[in-house]
Amino acid sequence: YGAASFLFSNLINNIPMSVLFSEAVASERSVFATIVGSNLGAIFTPVGALAGMMWMGLLKKEDVRFSFAEFVRYGAVVSVPSLFCCLAVLSLIL
């Protein structure tokens, strides 16, 4: 659930993904994994959250060059290791 919600939040945004996944979660572990994936997926790409899309729009408006690939590169450095650590901790405590 954690990895799937992480990936899906970057396809359809984290809020609609959370609504869709809320019908599928079956246990406490899957609920927490979905929450982790949704929130960390939001910082992986600009599509992951409305804030990322707004940020990219503001940068473009101000003629600041910051590509989608750069956003993903910086996002991956933070979000991917954090996802693995959080899911590992969840598997240990739940």
Side-chain angles (χ1 to χ4, degrees):
Y1 282 96
S5 63
F6 180 85
L7 295 173
F8 275 97
S9 70
N10 287 289
L11 295 175
I12 60 172
N13 197 286
N14 66 337
I15 294 173
M17 183 283 313
S18 297
V19 172
L20 289 173
F21 270 56
S22 69
E23 298 296 323
V25 293
S27 67
E28 183 181 24
R29 179 182 267 179
S30 60
V31 169
F32 285 119
T34 301
I35 292 168
V36 166
S38 170
N39 285 294
L40 292 175
I43 60 174
F44 183 58
T45 68
V47 178
L50 179 58
M53 291 185 268
M54 292 172 64
W55 176 251
M56 293 299 284
L58 287 170
L59 291 176
K60 187 175 183 177
K61 181 180 174 185
E62 297 297 323
D63 292 325
V64 176
R65 294 190 186 268
F66 192 74
S67 70
F68 186 89
E70 287 177 291
F71 194 105
V72 171
R73 190 169 48 244
Y74 286 112
V77 168
V78 174
S79 63
V80 174
S82 298
L83 177 69
F84 288 121
C85 289
C86 287
L87 293 179
V89 169
L90 277 178
S91 70
L92 292 174
I93 63 172
L94 294 179

XYZ file of all heavy atoms in Angstrom:
705
model
N 0.811 -1.194 0.000
C 0.000 0.000 0.000
C 0.857 1.261 0.000
O 0.503 2.226 -0.647
C -0.931 0.011 1.211
C -2.134 -0.887 1.048
C -2.136 -2.172 1.553
C -3.256 -0.431 0.388
C -3.239 -2.991 1.416
C -4.361 -1.244 0.245
C -4.357 -2.523 0.755
O -5.439 -3.328 0.603
N 1.957 1.243 0.733
C 2.804 2.431 0.809
C 3.429 2.794 -0.518
O 3.363 3.938 -0.961
N 4.023 1.805 -1.188
C 4.664 2.073 -2.483
C 3.624 2.401 -3.544
O 3.829 3.305 -4.363
C 5.497 0.869 -2.912
N 2.501 1.701 -3.523
C 1.457 1.962 -4.516
C 0.866 3.354 -4.341
O 0.663 4.083 -5.322
C 0.356 0.910 -4.406
N 0.611 3.763 -3.101
C 0.060 5.108 -2.895
C 1.088 6.177 -3.243
O 0.747 7.240 -3.748
C -0.435 5.280 -1.460
O 0.616 5.164 -0.534
N 2.371 5.894 -3.004
C 3.451 6.810 -3.385
C 3.431 7.043 -4.894
O 3.476 8.180 -5.365
C 4.789 6.212 -2.944
C 5.989 7.050 -3.272
C 6.390 8.059 -2.421
C 6.739 6.814 -4.412
C 7.511 8.832 -2.704
C 7.861 7.565 -4.702
C 8.245 8.579 -3.848
N 3.332 5.961 -5.662
C 3.339 6.076 -7.120
C 2.044 6.695 -7.654
O 2.083 7.571 -8.512
C 3.574 4.708 -7.759
C 4.939 4.090 -7.490
C 4.993 2.664 -8.024
C 6.041 4.941 -8.082
N 0.911 6.248 -7.139
C -0.365 6.760 -7.631
C -0.577 8.232 -7.283
O -1.239 8.956 -8.031
C -1.537 5.926 -7.109
C -1.818 4.723 -7.948
C -1.314 3.487 -7.591
C -2.563 4.833 -9.111
C -1.549 2.373 -8.363
C -2.801 3.720 -9.894
C -2.300 2.483 -9.523
N -0.007 8.688 -6.178
C -0.157 10.106 -5.841
C 0.541 10.991 -6.867
O 0.198 12.160 -7.013
C 0.372 10.395 -4.436
O 1.767 10.289 -4.375
N 1.489 10.434 -7.595
C 2.172 11.194 -8.629
C 1.488 11.084 -9.986
O 1.843 11.799 -10.918
C 3.627 10.764 -8.733
C 4.396 11.269 -7.552
O 4.642 12.456 -7.441
N 4.723 10.395 -6.625
N 0.525 10.217 -10.089
C -0.253 10.116 -11.327
C -1.514 10.977 -11.267
O -1.879 11.606 -12.251
C -0.643 8.659 -11.598
C 0.497 7.697 -11.889
C -0.040 6.281 -12.014
C 1.225 8.105 -13.157
N -2.171 10.961 -10.102
C -3.451 11.660 -10.013
C -3.515 12.668 -8.882
O -4.593 13.141 -8.562
C -4.620 10.653 -9.857
C -4.467 9.809 -8.594
C -4.759 9.789 -11.076
C -5.672 8.952 -8.277
N -2.420 13.002 -8.227
C -2.350 13.936 -7.118
C -2.651 13.189 -5.826
O -3.370 12.200 -5.820
C -3.310 15.113 -7.330
C -3.008 16.292 -6.441
O -3.279 16.242 -5.270
N -2.456 17.343 -7.012
N -2.140 13.685 -4.721
C -2.247 12.924 -3.475
C -3.639 12.939 -2.841
O -4.029 11.966 -2.203
C -1.179 13.366 -2.470
C -1.345 14.776 -1.980
O -1.966 15.614 -2.623
N -0.762 15.057 -0.842
N -4.413 13.982 -3.015
C -5.732 14.016 -2.386
C -6.714 13.079 -3.084
O -7.356 12.260 -2.414
C -6.252 15.459 -2.288
C -5.359 16.238 -1.328
C -7.709 15.483 -1.809
C -5.631 17.711 -1.258
N -6.879 13.127 -4.415
C -7.764 12.143 -5.046
C -7.294 10.704 -4.840
O -8.114 9.800 -4.672
C -7.729 12.512 -6.529
C -7.198 13.875 -6.604
C -6.375 14.092 -5.383
N -5.982 10.499 -4.791
C -5.458 9.160 -4.548
C -5.870 8.683 -3.164
O -6.271 7.532 -2.990
C -3.932 9.162 -4.680
C -3.259 7.818 -4.529
S -3.075 7.153 -2.856
C -2.437 8.509 -1.945
N -5.820 9.549 -2.179
C -6.221 9.165 -0.822
C -7.690 8.778 -0.760
O -8.062 7.825 -0.074
C -5.962 10.316 0.150
O -4.590 10.602 0.211
N -8.519 9.503 -1.492
C -9.949 9.175 -1.536
C -10.159 7.809 -2.182
O -10.927 6.982 -1.676
C -10.737 10.275 -2.279
C -12.177 9.859 -2.504
C -10.668 11.587 -1.518
N -9.470 7.551 -3.283
C -9.602 6.260 -3.950
C -9.090 5.112 -3.079
O -9.713 4.064 -2.992
C -8.865 6.261 -5.281
C -9.476 7.106 -6.392
C -8.553 7.164 -7.592
C -10.829 6.550 -6.790
N -7.956 5.313 -2.435
C -7.374 4.250 -1.621
C -8.144 4.023 -0.326
O -8.046 2.964 0.273
C -5.905 4.568 -1.306
C -4.938 4.041 -2.323
C -5.048 4.368 -3.661
C -3.903 3.209 -1.931
C -4.158 3.893 -4.591
C -2.994 2.727 -2.863
C -3.121 3.063 -4.193
N -8.894 5.019 0.131
C -9.624 4.855 1.389
C -10.634 3.716 1.322
O -10.962 3.110 2.336
C -10.317 6.157 1.784
O -11.371 6.449 0.895
N -11.101 3.412 0.129
C -12.041 2.302 -0.041
C -11.342 0.948 -0.045
O -11.974 -0.074 0.183
C -12.821 2.469 -1.350
C -13.670 3.730 -1.410
C -14.776 3.741 -0.371
O -15.352 2.668 -0.110
O -15.039 4.815 0.191
N -10.043 0.937 -0.283
C -9.327 -0.329 -0.455
C -8.569 -0.788 0.782
O -8.224 -1.954 0.883
C -8.359 -0.216 -1.625
N -8.290 0.129 1.689
C -7.476 -0.248 2.844
C -8.255 -1.173 3.776
O -9.443 -0.995 4.002
C -6.942 0.984 3.609
C -5.945 1.740 2.778
C -8.059 1.884 4.061
N -7.573 -2.181 4.286
C -8.259 -3.209 5.059
C -7.763 -3.320 6.495
O -8.475 -3.821 7.344
C -8.094 -4.555 4.359
N -6.566 -2.867 6.767
C -6.008 -3.040 8.105
C -5.341 -1.750 8.569
O -5.151 -0.813 7.794
C -4.976 -4.165 8.094
O -3.855 -3.783 7.324
N -4.994 -1.733 9.843
C -4.321 -0.567 10.399
C -2.985 -0.331 9.692
O -2.627 0.803 9.386
C -4.094 -0.780 11.891
C -3.470 0.410 12.588
C -3.239 0.156 14.059
O -3.115 -1.007 14.469
O -3.150 1.145 14.796
N -2.264 -1.402 9.398
C -0.980 -1.302 8.715
C -1.141 -0.667 7.339
O -0.366 0.204 6.950
C -0.354 -2.684 8.582
C 0.967 -2.678 7.859
C 1.505 -4.067 7.714
N 2.378 -4.307 8.855
C 3.017 -5.429 9.071
N 2.845 -6.452 8.274
N 3.814 -5.558 10.098
N -2.158 -1.071 6.591
C -2.365 -0.517 5.246
C -2.814 0.940 5.300
O -2.468 1.723 4.416
C -3.355 -1.369 4.448
O -4.605 -1.427 5.082
N -3.549 1.313 6.340
C -3.957 2.719 6.492
C -2.727 3.593 6.686
O -2.556 4.615 6.010
C -4.936 2.893 7.674
C -5.137 4.365 8.005
C -6.263 2.247 7.369
N -1.856 3.204 7.612
C -0.648 3.991 7.870
C 0.288 4.004 6.667
O 0.891 5.029 6.349
C 0.076 3.495 9.115
C -0.598 3.887 10.398
C -1.068 2.926 11.266
C -0.770 5.223 10.723
C -1.687 3.284 12.448
C -1.389 5.600 11.894
C -1.857 4.627 12.768
N 0.420 2.886 5.985
C 1.272 2.824 4.791
C 0.731 3.737 3.697
O 1.502 4.408 3.003
C 1.376 1.390 4.288
N -0.583 3.783 3.561
C -1.198 4.660 2.563
C -0.976 6.126 2.912
O -0.691 6.953 2.045
C -2.702 4.363 2.427
O -2.856 2.999 2.038
C -3.355 5.258 1.401
N -1.075 6.459 4.173
C -0.828 7.841 4.610
C 0.611 8.241 4.329
O 0.879 9.331 3.802
C -1.164 8.003 6.105
C -2.667 7.872 6.330
C -0.651 9.338 6.637
C -3.074 7.730 7.772
N 1.545 7.364 4.659
C 2.967 7.640 4.404
C 3.208 7.815 2.907
O 3.846 8.782 2.480
C 3.851 6.506 4.975
C 5.271 6.596 4.445
C 3.853 6.552 6.486
N 2.711 6.889 2.104
C 2.916 6.961 0.662
C 2.312 8.209 0.045
O 2.908 8.843 -0.825
N 1.141 8.577 0.511
C 0.462 9.767 -0.016
C 1.248 11.040 0.281
O 1.438 11.885 -0.591
C -0.932 9.864 0.596
O -1.539 11.098 0.303
N 1.694 11.165 1.516
C 2.393 12.387 1.910
C 3.796 12.480 1.334
O 4.230 13.564 0.939
C 2.417 12.502 3.435
C 1.071 12.906 3.966
O 0.609 14.001 3.710
N 0.425 12.009 4.670
N 4.503 11.381 1.264
C 5.840 11.419 0.681
C 5.793 11.452 -0.841
O 6.667 12.040 -1.474
C 6.680 10.244 1.176
C 7.039 10.309 2.656
C 7.757 9.054 3.089
C 7.873 11.546 2.953
N 4.783 10.860 -1.423
C 4.609 10.938 -2.870
C 4.338 12.358 -3.339
O 4.659 12.726 -4.462
N 3.791 13.158 -2.454
C 3.481 14.544 -2.801
C 4.722 15.380 -3.073
O 4.643 16.410 -3.747
C 2.665 15.187 -1.682
N 5.879 14.950 -2.565
C 7.096 15.736 -2.801
C 8.014 15.112 -3.840
O 9.093 15.635 -4.102
C 7.880 15.973 -1.494
C 8.298 14.661 -0.848
C 7.101 16.832 -0.536
C 9.196 14.820 0.358
N 7.582 14.020 -4.451
C 8.419 13.364 -5.456
C 8.365 14.087 -6.798
O 9.394 14.273 -7.445
C 7.987 11.905 -5.610
C 8.829 11.113 -6.562
C 10.188 10.989 -6.372
C 8.253 10.482 -7.641
C 10.968 10.255 -7.248
C 9.019 9.743 -8.519
C 10.377 9.629 -8.319
N 7.194 14.468 -7.252
C 7.034 15.227 -8.503
C 6.102 16.403 -8.261
O 5.347 16.403 -7.285
C 6.429 14.366 -9.635
O 5.084 14.056 -9.311
C 7.234 13.109 -9.892
N 6.102 17.389 -9.151
C 5.174 18.508 -8.977
C 3.709 18.087 -9.092
O 2.831 18.770 -8.585
C 5.534 19.473 -10.110
C 6.779 18.998 -10.703
C 7.015 17.605 -10.263
N 3.441 16.968 -9.735
C 2.075 16.492 -9.905
C 1.540 15.902 -8.606
O 0.329 15.838 -8.393
C 2.014 15.440 -11.041
C 0.624 14.888 -11.228
C 2.524 16.045 -12.335
N 2.424 15.508 -7.708
C 2.033 14.839 -6.479
C 1.163 15.659 -5.551
O 0.396 15.116 -4.778
N 1.265 16.964 -5.599
C 0.472 17.825 -4.728
C 0.195 19.145 -5.427
O 0.958 19.590 -6.282
C 1.198 18.080 -3.418
N -0.890 19.770 -5.041
C -1.250 21.060 -5.619
C -0.155 22.099 -5.375
O 0.138 22.925 -6.238
C -2.576 21.541 -5.033
C -3.092 22.889 -5.507
C -3.273 22.895 -7.018
C -4.377 23.247 -4.805
N 0.484 22.030 -4.215
C 1.552 22.979 -3.908
C 2.696 22.897 -4.908
O 3.271 23.914 -5.302
C 2.073 22.747 -2.492
N 3.056 21.685 -5.324
C 4.117 21.516 -6.321
C 3.742 22.119 -7.659
O 4.567 22.755 -8.317
N 2.491 21.929 -8.053
C 2.042 22.511 -9.321
C 2.027 24.036 -9.251
O 2.426 24.715 -10.199
C 0.653 21.977 -9.679
C 0.664 20.507 -10.046
S -0.927 19.911 -10.591
C -1.603 19.330 -9.052
N 1.588 24.561 -8.107
C 1.571 26.020 -7.935
C 2.994 26.573 -7.920
O 3.267 27.621 -8.518
C 0.835 26.389 -6.650
C -0.642 26.097 -6.707
S -1.476 26.317 -5.141
C -1.261 28.057 -4.859
N 3.903 25.869 -7.271
C 5.310 26.294 -7.200
C 5.919 26.358 -8.593
O 6.574 27.329 -8.946
C 6.072 25.341 -6.301
C 7.540 25.615 -6.213
C 8.548 24.879 -6.736
C 8.163 26.735 -5.569
N 9.756 25.442 -6.453
C 9.554 26.588 -5.742
C 7.680 27.828 -4.873
C 10.461 27.506 -5.231
C 8.596 28.738 -4.372
C 9.964 28.575 -4.551
N 5.691 25.316 -9.393
C 6.233 25.308 -10.753
C 5.625 26.441 -11.581
O 6.320 27.064 -12.391
C 5.979 23.956 -11.419
C 6.762 22.801 -10.790
S 8.542 22.986 -10.858
C 8.844 22.583 -12.564
N 4.341 26.722 -11.374
C 3.697 27.832 -12.073
C 4.294 29.175 -11.688
O 4.516 30.029 -12.547
N 4.556 29.370 -10.409
C 5.174 30.619 -9.956
C 6.584 30.781 -10.500
O 6.991 31.874 -10.887
C 5.198 30.681 -8.426
C 3.871 30.939 -7.745
C 3.998 30.741 -6.242
C 3.381 32.337 -8.057
N 7.340 29.694 -10.504
C 8.695 29.765 -11.057
C 8.673 30.132 -12.527
O 9.468 30.962 -12.988
C 9.427 28.430 -10.860
C 9.787 28.052 -9.430
C 10.420 26.671 -9.405
C 10.694 29.083 -8.800
N 7.748 29.539 -13.276
C 7.633 29.845 -14.697
C 7.228 31.297 -14.901
O 7.769 31.988 -15.768
C 6.611 28.910 -15.347
C 6.536 29.036 -16.835
C 5.596 27.995 -17.423
C 5.587 28.099 -18.931
N 4.755 27.061 -19.535
N 6.300 31.784 -14.095
C 5.838 33.178 -14.194
C 6.978 34.163 -13.937
O 7.060 35.215 -14.569
C 4.711 33.406 -13.191
C 4.136 34.786 -13.200
C 3.034 34.910 -12.165
C 2.550 36.330 -12.066
N 1.572 36.498 -10.991
N 7.869 33.810 -13.031
C 8.996 34.677 -12.682
C 10.237 34.396 -13.526
O 11.309 34.906 -13.230
C 9.331 34.527 -11.195
C 8.220 34.957 -10.263
C 7.892 36.427 -10.375
O 8.828 37.249 -10.567
O 6.697 36.773 -10.259
N 10.090 33.587 -14.568
C 11.183 33.229 -15.476
C 12.370 32.562 -14.772
O 13.529 32.778 -15.109
C 11.678 34.452 -16.257
C 10.639 34.944 -17.244
O 9.917 34.105 -17.804
O 10.547 36.176 -17.441
N 12.063 31.747 -13.781
C 13.091 30.954 -13.097
C 13.101 29.578 -13.745
O 12.077 28.912 -13.809
C 12.797 30.836 -11.587
C 13.819 29.937 -10.913
C 12.757 32.206 -10.945
N 14.241 29.166 -14.240
C 14.346 27.870 -14.911
C 14.551 26.772 -13.871
O 15.581 26.721 -13.202
C 15.489 27.878 -15.901
C 15.259 28.828 -17.063
C 16.310 28.619 -18.126
N 16.176 29.605 -19.163
C 15.452 29.433 -20.268
N 14.814 28.304 -20.455
N 15.367 30.382 -21.165
N 13.547 25.937 -13.748
C 13.591 24.789 -12.848
C 12.712 23.727 -13.482
O 11.491 23.796 -13.432
C 13.075 25.183 -11.459
C 13.354 24.153 -10.402
C 14.626 23.982 -9.896
C 12.338 23.371 -9.901
C 14.886 23.045 -8.917
C 12.580 22.427 -8.919
C 13.860 22.269 -8.427
N 13.330 22.753 -14.101
C 12.597 21.780 -14.909
C 11.907 20.713 -14.058
O 12.206 20.536 -12.874
C 13.542 21.103 -15.900
O 14.438 20.259 -15.209
N 11.017 19.985 -14.716
C 10.334 18.866 -14.095
C 11.362 17.832 -13.626
O 11.265 17.295 -12.526
C 9.362 18.242 -15.102
C 8.487 17.170 -14.540
C 7.268 17.488 -13.985
C 8.877 15.840 -14.567
C 6.449 16.499 -13.460
C 8.077 14.846 -14.056
C 6.851 15.177 -13.494
N 12.369 17.584 -14.461
C 13.412 16.607 -14.121
C 14.200 17.032 -12.887
O 14.545 16.192 -12.041
C 14.348 16.401 -15.303
N 14.499 18.323 -12.769
C 15.208 18.811 -11.581
C 14.360 18.629 -10.329
O 14.859 18.238 -9.274
C 15.574 20.280 -11.741
C 16.698 20.541 -12.716
C 16.949 22.019 -12.885
O 16.087 22.713 -13.472
O 18.016 22.470 -12.415
N 13.066 18.918 -10.450
C 12.149 18.743 -9.328
C 12.152 17.285 -8.879
O 12.240 16.987 -7.685
C 10.735 19.174 -9.735
C 9.786 19.350 -8.587
C 9.426 20.610 -8.153
C 9.226 18.258 -7.940
C 8.539 20.781 -7.101
C 8.343 18.400 -6.889
C 7.998 19.682 -6.470
N 12.074 16.365 -9.853
C 12.060 14.932 -9.540
C 13.384 14.516 -8.916
O 13.410 13.734 -7.958
C 11.746 14.098 -10.799
C 11.944 12.619 -10.552
C 10.333 14.381 -11.284
N 14.474 15.020 -9.426
C 15.787 14.658 -8.887
C 15.900 15.079 -7.413
O 16.304 14.291 -6.560
C 16.894 15.289 -9.718
C 18.268 14.788 -9.373
C 19.356 15.199 -10.355
N 19.352 16.615 -10.702
C 19.114 17.079 -11.929
N 18.873 16.247 -12.924
N 19.136 18.369 -12.175
N 15.521 16.311 -7.105
C 15.558 16.770 -5.719
C 14.525 16.035 -4.866
O 14.800 15.682 -3.715
C 15.319 18.279 -5.631
C 16.496 19.101 -6.082
C 16.427 19.866 -7.242
C 17.675 19.125 -5.350
C 17.501 20.626 -7.670
C 18.753 19.884 -5.756
C 18.665 20.635 -6.919
O 19.727 21.386 -7.330
N 13.359 15.820 -5.417
C 12.315 15.106 -4.683
C 12.695 13.677 -4.370
O 12.399 13.155 -3.294
N 13.360 13.021 -5.311
C 13.768 11.630 -5.118
C 14.788 11.493 -3.990
O 14.764 10.520 -3.237
C 14.331 11.056 -6.412
N 15.674 12.467 -3.881
C 16.705 12.422 -2.840
C 16.066 12.395 -1.448
O 16.567 11.728 -0.538
C 17.663 13.634 -2.972
C 18.548 13.789 -1.757
C 18.487 13.521 -4.238
N 14.949 13.087 -1.301
C 14.286 13.159 0.000
C 13.214 12.086 0.152
O 13.155 11.382 1.157
C 13.662 14.563 0.196
C 12.852 14.622 1.472
C 14.733 15.621 0.181
N 12.351 11.957 -0.849
C 11.146 11.137 -0.681
C 11.386 9.631 -0.742
O 10.787 8.880 0.037
C 10.086 11.534 -1.702
O 10.527 11.287 -3.023
N 12.238 9.157 -1.621
C 12.434 7.712 -1.764
C 13.091 7.099 -0.514
O 12.557 6.127 0.039
C 13.204 7.375 -3.056
C 13.542 5.904 -3.125
C 12.381 7.799 -4.277
N 14.206 7.646 -0.025
C 14.766 7.081 1.215
C 13.806 7.214 2.406
O 13.714 6.310 3.237
C 16.046 7.889 1.462
C 16.394 8.477 0.145
C 15.101 8.677 -0.573
N 13.093 8.326 2.465
C 12.129 8.519 3.552
C 11.016 7.486 3.488
O 10.575 6.970 4.525
C 11.529 9.925 3.493
O 12.511 10.901 3.668
N 10.556 7.178 2.286
C 9.511 6.179 2.116
C 9.985 4.821 2.632
O 9.286 4.162 3.412
C 9.096 6.062 0.649
C 8.059 4.984 0.336
C 6.706 5.354 0.923
C 7.962 4.767 -1.167
N 11.172 4.398 2.215
C 11.695 3.114 2.655
C 11.888 3.069 4.171
O 11.548 2.076 4.819
C 13.004 2.769 1.939
C 12.810 2.395 0.510
C 13.435 3.106 -0.500
C 11.994 1.331 0.153
C 13.260 2.756 -1.830
C 11.810 0.972 -1.169
C 12.442 1.694 -2.173
N 12.400 4.133 4.742
C 12.592 4.173 6.197
C 11.265 4.119 6.941
O 11.115 3.363 7.908
C 13.357 5.431 6.599
S 15.086 5.420 6.120
N 10.312 4.908 6.501
C 9.004 4.935 7.171
C 8.295 3.585 7.059
O 7.724 3.112 8.047
C 8.119 6.024 6.576
S 8.615 7.681 7.034
N 8.324 2.983 5.888
C 7.661 1.685 5.727
C 8.381 0.598 6.526
O 7.737 -0.314 7.060
C 7.568 1.314 4.249
C 6.656 2.214 3.414
C 6.651 1.780 1.964
C 5.242 2.265 3.975
N 9.700 0.701 6.641
C 10.441 -0.262 7.451
C 10.057 -0.143 8.922
O 9.831 -1.151 9.610
C 11.943 -0.067 7.271
N 9.949 1.085 9.401
C 9.550 1.310 10.792
C 8.125 0.812 11.021
O 7.834 0.170 12.032
C 9.706 2.801 11.183
C 9.038 3.090 12.514
C 11.169 3.188 11.208
N 7.237 1.093 10.075
C 5.865 0.588 10.198
C 5.814 -0.929 10.283
O 5.057 -1.496 11.064
C 5.015 1.051 9.011
C 4.408 2.429 9.075
C 3.651 2.747 7.811
C 3.503 2.574 10.272
N 6.638 -1.583 9.474
C 6.641 -3.044 9.506
C 7.184 -3.583 10.831
O 6.811 -4.676 11.265
C 7.438 -3.620 8.325
O 8.807 -3.374 8.494
N 8.027 -2.818 11.490
C 8.576 -3.242 12.781
C 7.598 -3.018 13.931
O 7.533 -3.824 14.862
C 9.874 -2.502 13.083
C 11.066 -2.840 12.202
C 12.229 -1.904 12.540
C 11.480 -4.288 12.401
N 6.838 -1.932 13.883
C 5.984 -1.598 15.028
C 4.546 -2.076 14.887
O 3.825 -2.149 15.875
C 5.997 -0.089 15.324
C 5.435 0.730 14.175
C 7.390 0.359 15.693
C 5.254 2.194 14.488
N 4.114 -2.410 13.676
C 2.723 -2.878 13.512
C 2.671 -4.334 13.116
O 3.407 -4.885 12.434
C 1.988 -2.036 12.453
C 1.751 -0.585 12.807
C 1.051 0.132 11.664
C 0.901 -0.462 14.061
